[in-house]
Amino acid sequence: MESGEISIQTRDRRNPPHVGLRCMWPTFHQDPETERLICNCFLLQCGGPAVRMGEQLDCEMCKECLYGRKYIQVDDVPHCVSCYDRLYANTCQGCKELIGHNSRELYYDDRHYHEECFHCSRCDRSLAEEPFACQEEALLCNDCYCSEFSSKCVACNKNVMPGSRKLEYSGSTWHEECFVCRVCEKSLGSQAFIPEKNDYYCVPCYEGRVAPRCSQCKQVLVKGGVTYQGEPWHKECFLCTGCKMQLAGQSFTSQGDNPYCIKCFSNLYAQKCTACNKAITGFEGGKYVSFEKCQWHELCFKCSGCSVSLLGAGFFPKGTKILCKDCNVN
């Protein structure tokens, strides 16, 4: 869609038409070469050469005599009206007829129209003195365009008129003056803004009123970050309580309110396998067996005598050792 501006032209703009007149009281002299009587009066002097009645004044194209008729000069060459229109007249985009020399002609986007043909393609209202829009080569008045094609401003729910300044974001449209910060109501059209749910904020208002703050450093989180126990953290602030390694993107666990990497948690708090004395963390799908005050990795839960797995089988504890039935007998 584009809004339109037109220029209004008249077809006789090259040179004004000249009209030949008859002498009412002529005086004559005889041409010695042709023996023709020639009128002594000048009939026309309209910016071109003077023409006497005896001089030849014919249409350049059809050669018809132009005395007593309207004619039009193009570069000082006379043309009858019919030849002029045929050679120089534009074709109306609306009715496809020639636009005569004395017709009011409207010009828009390399196309020409009779004034009466330059109208809205929906309601036929004349567009000669009105703003208009062009939609896929169809001329539309503002009312018809808005009812069919114009989007509505999501802030004021009014049509965005053709040619007016608008802003679009995430599939929605605003008048430029309607797209403002939720807090200070200053225009956001020419500056950075931050969306929050269905509202929009300039950066200073967002950071001062809305933005979450890191639980560790208490500074604003503009983008990114992690959430732990319902609280926001900068990635660089979310560290292992033991070794201070960044935990963002890593597996971690907690002891009380404090986060730990797996290694630190295992060293500090994890139970040790009775068989291999390594930490039992339960991470990455690891399973373990617990009996009284002892724990084993599943793979470590086997007979201390013959090493057969005791998962799902009876066993006999002997201090820190466990035995299958056969080894216990022996």
Side-chain angles (χ1 to χ4, degrees):
M1 182 280 297
E2 55 183 9
S3 57
E5 294 183 0
I6 58 174
S7 62
I8 300 176
Q9 306 170 347
T10 54
R11 180 41 47 195
D12 56 342
R13 63 188 180 278
R14 297 176 180 271
N15 283 302
H18 307 305
V19 180
L21 303 175
R22 295 180 183 276
C23 288
M24 300 301 295
W25 298 279
T27 60
F28 299 91
H29 70 274
Q30 188 173 26
D31 188 326
E33 295 182 2
T34 63
E35 297 183 351
R36 296 173 60 187
L37 291 176
I38 299 175
C39 178
N40 292 322
C41 297
F42 291 111
L43 295 180
L44 296 173
Q45 184 82 41
C46 299
V51 179
R52 295 177 182 272
M53 283 296 292
E55 293 182 357
Q56 196 75 10
L57 184 60
D58 296 337
C59 173
E60 174 71 14
M61 301 306 297
C62 68
K63 306 305 180 184
E64 290 189 8
C65 180
L66 299 177
Y67 281 112
R69 299 172 57 188
K70 182 187 292 186
Y71 67 93
I72 302 172
Q73 289 191 156
V74 180
D75 298 329
D76 293 331
V77 177
H79 294 71
C80 69
V81 170
S82 297
C83 289
Y84 178 85
D85 284 345
R86 177 170 53 83
L87 291 172
Y88 299 107
N90 294 307
T91 300
C92 175
Q93 183 73 18
C95 67
K96 309 304 180 184
E97 300 290 336
L98 290 179
I99 304 173
H101 67 283
N102 58 349
S103 298
R104 207 163 180 238
E105 178 179 345
L106 277 61
Y107 175 81
Y108 165 68
D109 194 25
D110 293 329
R111 290 173 285 182
H112 302 262
Y113 299 83
H114 291 106
E115 181 178 17
E116 60 270 19
C117 294
F118 195 69
H119 54 75
C120 175
S121 61
R122 300 293 191 271
C123 68
D124 288 331
R125 180 191 303 178
S126 173
L127 300 177
E129 305 296 337
E130 291 193 21
F132 63 92
C134 186
Q135 182 72 18
E136 296 180 353
E137 298 190 356
L139 298 174
L140 300 171
C141 65
N142 270 353
D143 291 342
C144 290
Y145 177 83
C146 289
S147 65
E148 290 191 41
F149 303 106
S150 183
S151 53
K152 286 186 179 293
C153 172
V154 297
C156 67
N157 202 37
K158 295 180 180 179
N159 287 325
V160 179
M161 301 299 289
S164 63
R165 294 175 65 87
K166 66 179 181 179
L167 297 170
E168 295 181 339
Y169 174 74
S170 191
S172 298
T173 304
W174 289 261
H175 294 109
E176 185 178 34
E177 62 272 17
C178 292
F179 191 59
V180 297
C181 172
R182 176 70 175 80
V183 177
C184 67
E185 297 186 349
K186 291 182 178 179
S187 174
L188 298 175
S190 59
Q191 60 179 304
F193 65 90
I194 300 173
E196 179 70 19
K197 297 181 179 178
N198 293 324
D199 293 320
Y200 302 88
Y201 300 86
C202 64
V203 174
C205 288
Y206 181 81
E207 293 182 350
R209 301 282 192 91
V210 182
R213 294 183 177 272
C214 176
S215 293
Q216 176 65 25
C217 68
K218 309 305 179 184
Q219 298 301 309
V220 170
L221 275 83
V222 178
K223 61 180 180 179
V226 296
T227 300
Y228 172 66
Q229 292 186 343
E231 297 293 332
W233 301 64
H234 290 114
K235 289 182 179 180
E236 56 272 21
C237 293
F238 190 58
L239 308 177
C240 172
T241 305
C243 66
K244 307 304 179 185
M245 178 183 73
Q246 283 194 27
L247 296 178
Q250 308 292 327
S251 297
F252 69 94
T253 187
S254 61
Q255 179 68 21
D257 292 333
N258 299 319
Y260 287 89
C261 67
I262 302 305
K263 182 177 180 180
C264 288
F265 180 83
S266 298
N267 291 336
L268 294 172
Y269 301 107
Q271 297 287 340
K272 299 294 191 295
C273 175
T274 302
C276 68
N277 202 38
K278 294 180 180 179
I280 299 175
T281 62
F283 292 102
E284 299 179 354
K287 296 181 180 180
Y288 65 97
V289 177
S290 178
F291 176 72
E292 294 182 349
K293 295 182 179 181
C294 297
Q295 287 83 30
W296 293 264
H297 296 109
E298 279 193 343
L299 294 177
C300 296
F301 191 64
K302 52 189 177 182
C303 177
S304 300
C306 65
S307 298
V308 66
S309 174
L310 297 177
L311 289 174
F315 64 93
F316 297 88
K318 295 290 185 180
T320 58
K321 296 181 180 181
I322 52 176
L323 301 172
C324 65
K325 181 179 179 180
D326 292 341
C327 291
N328 183 59
V329 172
N330 295 332

